[in-house]
Amino acid sequence: MGATYHQFCPVAKAMELFDERWTLLVVRELVLGSKRFNDLRRGLPRMSPSLLSKRLHQLSAAGVVERRTVGDEVHYTLTDAGLELRSVVEALGSWGARWIGTLGDSDLDPRLLMWDMHRRVDTSAVPVGRTVVKFRIRDVQQRAGDWWLVLDGHDVDICDVDPGFDVSLTVSATLRGLTEIWSGDMSWHEALRAEVLGISGPESLRRGFPGWFVLPRTSDVRRALPGRPSISSADS
Amino acid sequence: MGATYHQFCPVAKAMELFDERWTLLVVRELVLGSKRFNDLRRGLPRMSPSLLSKRLHQLSAAGVVERRTVGDEVHYTLTDAGLELRSVVEALGSWGARWIGTLGDSDLDPRLLMWDMHRRVDTSAVPVGRTVVKFRIRDVQQRAGDWWLVLDGHDVDICDVDPGFDVSLTVSATLRGLTEIWSGDMSWHEALRAEVLGISGPESLRRGFPGWFVLPRTSDVRRALPGRPSISSADS
DNA sequence: CGGTATCCCCGTCGATACTG
DNA sequence: CAGTATCGACGGGGATACCG
């Protein structure tokens, strides 16, 4: 499959596996906890199912991934070798967060963003009972810009069609703004002040809302570049 | 050049650069200290010069590498962003050392091995004056199996043709054996006992010889796999 | 030494459809 | 849900030659 470098160096041997497109992103998804084929797909929207299938086979052959049937579900999990790739993924993520400049428009994807947000909800921080957050991504055309996050106990669902529940809170944002919050380039508070973000609903929910999410680890990485421009605030 | 993943994730953005074949190995060479085009080539024997050139351009465009003319020499050096890739290279190298099993025959390369050994000589450990070590890789055909390591002060040269100096020490080894020593799968001592290595010459030199080299960092990594089989010694 | 230029092949990947 | 099948293009990259 992957071509060999004909080198004994362990970096080269490792890269024989990981220099293939998508491979390390599949690992990233598994590190983040996705186990099922279609969940992996949601985290890798542009990847074709056949290629995902192929990569899972390769990773399995390499001893990184294990495929198991659990009840009537198929689970892909990391082996011990795979778990130790977390350090590689984190090193790359930290480097990327520090050194990659402003994202291009084509890197912004509401589906992927909402999928990532939905899986990083801290359910213990959300009020008891059902809470429904409607997201409106202002600058994305109707269909793709409306999302409903349904929180209920430990269940977190993200829908791109109206599930029909009463909406507890409505969040409006630009795609870039919400992505920059999520990336750690801007705080929720800064975004509100800059009006790339708006939250409407009962004050207690509005205040609590930012705390319902655990930002990705890379959001904490100190930026080396002037980087993805945060709101250059004259005050504060 | 490299295709985009259309993802805002910093891992994905980083991999847009590094999922291309050879790219991270070029970075590895720079991390190891090579600066000049033809030195880089020596550490990447199977890479075509045009591709190396292209990769250097790409890395330069990405802000990882800087090309400078120093006197009449051209130097490629890592920028601050590039220097921080050391953590990525080391994470990959450690993972590879732990989890990659036995090397295939096609991963063994005397040229690359001798090049790597030559640049990890601890000149302070070598006797003063000129010392010439002749290596004979037993199982490699004449031409490719004979190497001369010329040590003189801080100068270290490796030759694949007889430079004509008196030989101070002769080392004979199998290609796999010497590679395994270098990889940390076997100690010099074990190799001597197993007779995959032989050293002939004055005893003081013979005894000192192993200490003239600083093994790669990954040689210290604890193996997770039964792995590249070390000599299974009944005794110890 | 420090690269470019060229050429062409073949494999990868993307897209889409389809199946149990 | 969990994949496989098929198919075509496109361009990456290997090899080699060549240049200042």
Side-chain angles (χ1 to χ4, degrees):
Chain A
M1 303 266 142
T4 170
Y5 286 111
H6 301 289
Q7 296 202 353
F8 56 83
C9 166
V11 177
K13 293 304 292 177
M15 285 309 289
E16 288 180 9
L17 189 54
F18 302 119
D19 70 1
E20 287 195 303
R21 198 163 152 72
W22 292 108
T23 303
L24 208 66
L25 302 194
V26 174
V27 173
R28 178 200 70 192
E29 288 302 301
L30 292 164
V31 166
L32 291 177
S34 287
K35 287 178 168 40
R36 311 192 52 182
F37 192 85
N38 283 302
D39 283 347
L40 293 169
R41 289 200 65 187
R42 281 182 253 278
L44 304 162
R46 297 265 195 157
M47 187 182 196
S48 77
S50 48
L51 190 52
L52 174 56
S53 175
K54 181 180 177 181
R55 289 288 181 268
L56 288 168
H57 279 290
Q58 291 176 286
L59 287 169
S60 186
V64 167
V65 160
E66 192 178 3
R67 186 200 134 116
R68 282 184 307 179
T69 307
V70 179
D72 60 343
E73 296 186 348
V74 178
H75 285 192
Y76 292 95
T77 53
L78 293 167
T79 62
D80 289 343
L83 289 169
E84 290 191 14
L85 285 170
R86 177 186 286 275
S87 62
V88 173
V89 173
E90 285 183 353
L92 273 164
S94 297
W95 185 87
R98 270 177 73 71
W99 294 105
I100 282 161
T102 307
L103 292 167
D105 284 342
S106 75
D107 297 325
L108 309 179
D109 180 344
R111 250 191 319 174
L112 189 54
L113 178 59
M114 297 311 297
W115 173 255
D116 201 33
M117 291 183 69
H118 119 278
R119 67 176 162 191
R120 304 192 73 93
V121 170
D122 176 5
T123 51
S124 70
V126 179
V128 290
R130 182 166 63 222
T131 305
V132 177
V133 184
K134 169 155 187 213
F135 287 88
R136 168 100 268 282
I137 313 295
R138 286 177 207 158
D139 48 347
V140 173
Q141 64 228 37
Q142 275 312 335
R143 289 286 167 72
D146 286 326
W147 297 84
W148 289 263
L149 184 68
V150 181
L151 309 170
D152 197 347
H154 290 297
D155 293 336
V156 181
D157 284 314
I158 185 74
C159 314
D160 60 358
V161 293
D162 190 342
F165 301 124
D166 286 348
V167 168
S168 321
L169 205 58
T170 301
V171 173
S172 162
T174 63
L175 177 54
R176 183 173 290 275
L178 196 53
T179 302
E180 286 181 352
I181 294 167
W182 199 245
S183 304
D185 290 314
M186 203 186 337
S187 70
W188 292 101
H189 192 70
E190 285 170 330
L192 283 166
R193 300 191 59 153
E195 294 182 353
V196 294
L197 179 74
I199 310 180
S200 64
E203 177 170 359
S204 66
L205 293 181
R206 275 177 11 230
R207 290 190 161 273
F209 170 77
W212 300 351
F213 300 92
V214 182
L215 296 188
R217 302 197 50 170
T218 46
S219 68
D220 289 335
V221 173
R222 186 198 301 227
R223 302 307 194 265
L225 292 175
R228 314 180 188 173
S230 59
I231 302 306
S232 54
S233 47
D235 54 15
S236 128
Chain B
M1 303 270 144
T4 170
Y5 286 111
H6 300 290
Q7 295 202 355
F8 55 84
C9 166
V11 178
K13 294 303 292 177
M15 285 310 289
E16 288 179 10
L17 190 54
F18 302 118
D19 69 2
E20 287 195 304
R21 196 162 153 74
W22 292 108
T23 304
L24 208 64
L25 301 195
V26 174
V27 173
R28 178 200 70 192
E29 288 303 301
L30 292 163
V31 164
L32 291 178
S34 286
K35 289 178 166 42
R36 308 190 56 179
F37 192 85
N38 284 304
D39 283 347
L40 293 168
R41 288 200 67 189
R42 281 181 252 280
L44 304 162
R46 298 264 195 158
M47 187 181 195
S48 77
S50 50
L51 190 52
L52 174 57
S53 175
K54 180 180 177 182
R55 289 288 182 269
L56 288 169
H57 278 289
Q58 290 176 287
L59 287 169
S60 185
V64 167
V65 160
E66 194 178 2
R67 186 199 134 113
R68 283 184 307 181
T69 308
V70 179
D72 60 345
E73 295 186 349
V74 178
H75 286 193
Y76 293 95
T77 53
L78 292 167
T79 62
D80 289 344
L83 289 170
E84 291 192 14
L85 285 170
R86 177 186 285 274
S87 62
V88 173
V89 173
E90 286 184 351
L92 272 164
S94 297
W95 185 87
R98 269 178 74 67
W99 293 104
I100 284 161
T102 307
L103 292 167
D105 285 342
S106 75
D107 297 324
L108 309 179
D109 180 344
R111 249 190 321 174
L112 188 53
L113 177 59
M114 298 310 298
W115 173 254
D116 200 33
M117 290 184 69
H118 119 278
R119 67 176 162 191
R120 303 191 75 92
V121 169
D122 176 6
T123 52
S124 70
V126 179
V128 290
R130 182 167 60 221
T131 306
V132 177
V133 183
K134 167 152 189 216
F135 288 86
R136 168 100 269 278
I137 313 294
R138 288 177 207 157
D139 48 348
V140 173
Q141 64 228 39
Q142 275 313 332
R143 289 286 168 72
D146 286 325
W147 296 85
W148 290 262
L149 184 69
V150 182
L151 308 169
D152 196 348
H154 289 297
D155 294 335
V156 181
D157 284 314
I158 185 74
C159 314
D160 60 358
V161 293
D162 189 343
F165 301 125
D166 285 346
V167 169
S168 322
L169 205 58
T170 300
V171 173
S172 163
T174 63
L175 177 53
R176 183 173 290 274
L178 196 54
T179 303
E180 285 181 353
I181 295 167
W182 199 245
S183 303
D185 290 314
M186 205 189 333
S187 70
W188 293 102
H189 192 70
E190 285 170 331
L192 283 167
R193 300 191 57 154
E195 295 182 353
V196 294
L197 179 74
I199 309 180
S200 64
E203 176 169 0
S204 67
L205 293 181
R206 271 171 21 221
R207 290 191 160 273
F209 170 77
W212 300 351
F213 300 93
V214 182
L215 296 188
R217 302 198 48 168
T218 47
S219 68
D220 288 334
V221 173
R222 186 200 301 229
R223 302 306 194 264
L225 291 176
R228 313 182 190 173
S230 60
I231 303 306
S232 54
S233 45
D235 52 18
S236 89

